[in-house]
Structure formats: structure tokens, C-alpha cells
Amino acid sequence: MPKQEHAEAVQSETPENKTPENKTPGKTESPAETSAEPLVRAETQSDELNDGLNPLERRILALERRGFKHQGSKEKAIKALGFPPIAYYQMLNVMLDDERVRAAAPRLVDALRARRDAD
């Protein structure tokens, strides 16, 4: 590889030359824009979650999306939500039959329904 092509390839691989999808090449950001970015992202995500689910239902779905290696880890997370495991699984079972929940997370609900029905 000629020196110029090699230098261009190495330069294009450096982090400062990578352009994120939502950034304009050559645009510099002020520190205020950089620190506000996570806030804008959080607001956008909360707008996407405006699906008719209450906050508890969203937290239960978020917990079910997580992967747990050990059953004890999941039970600790359930207790952190403020529920005994039996009450949590009863709520989850009711949620799996709710079409609002399925509309909000179809793949997750289908997978959980399949697991429930297999038992």
C-alpha cells in the first residue's frame, strides 16, 4: 500500500475523524451542546415510550429484557421494584395477556408468552 493511502486509512480510523450519524462533519460543538445531548436523548426516549403503559409496566418490561445468569439476581431486581417475586410474576402474567403491552414490546411479549405456554 502506498504511503499516502496508508496515511489516509490510518487517519480515517482515528476516533476524532469518525462522524456519528447525527453529527454534521466539520461542525464543532460547544460544551453546552455536548452536555445537553444525553438530556435530549432521554426526552426522545420518553416520547417513544408514550405508548399507554404506566411506569410500573415499563419497569417490568425493562427488567424482563435484561439477561440474568442466576435466578437469585433476577429475584433481587424484582425485590428492588418493591414486589415479592410471586406478586411480580402474577403481574407479568396479566401483562402478557394485555394487548397494550404486546403493542409496546411485541417480540418480548411473544417470547415470554411462548415460554409461559411451554411450561
Side-chain angles (χ1 to χ4, degrees):
M1 176 180 278
K3 287 183 182 180
Q4 184 180 6
E5 288 179 22
H6 179 68
E8 289 173 3
V10 170
Q11 184 180 12
S12 67
E13 292 175 3
T14 58
E16 59 271 0
N17 291 333
K18 290 186 179 180
T19 304
E21 295 172 11
N22 59 351
K23 305 266 189 252
T24 307
K27 179 183 174 193
T28 59
E29 296 180 343
S30 69
E33 289 175 347
T34 305
S35 63
E37 186 176 336
L39 297 174
V40 172
R41 190 176 312 129
E43 289 175 13
T44 304
Q45 289 174 350
S46 67
D47 291 342
E48 291 171 359
L49 294 175
N50 192 5
D51 49 16
L53 300 180
N54 65 43
L56 177 62
E57 291 170 330
R58 287 189 194 111
R59 288 187 301 214
I60 290 173
L61 289 177
L63 188 117
E64 286 299 319
R65 282 186 185 102
R66 289 176 51 191
F68 294 97
K69 287 186 177 182
H70 308 289
Q71 181 64 24
S73 301
K74 186 172 183 178
E75 287 182 8
K76 286 180 185 178
I78 291 169
K79 289 177 183 177
L81 284 177
F83 292 99
I86 292 173
Y88 171 83
Y89 285 110
Q90 287 172 339
M91 288 184 66
L92 177 61
N93 193 34
V94 170
M95 286 175 57
L96 292 180
D97 295 326
D98 189 342
E99 287 304 315
R100 293 177 309 115
V101 177
R102 186 176 186 286
R107 296 173 99 192
L108 176 64
V109 170
D110 289 344
L112 292 171
R113 282 180 181 176
R115 188 181 313 158
R116 175 186 69 180
D117 296 341
D119 291 336

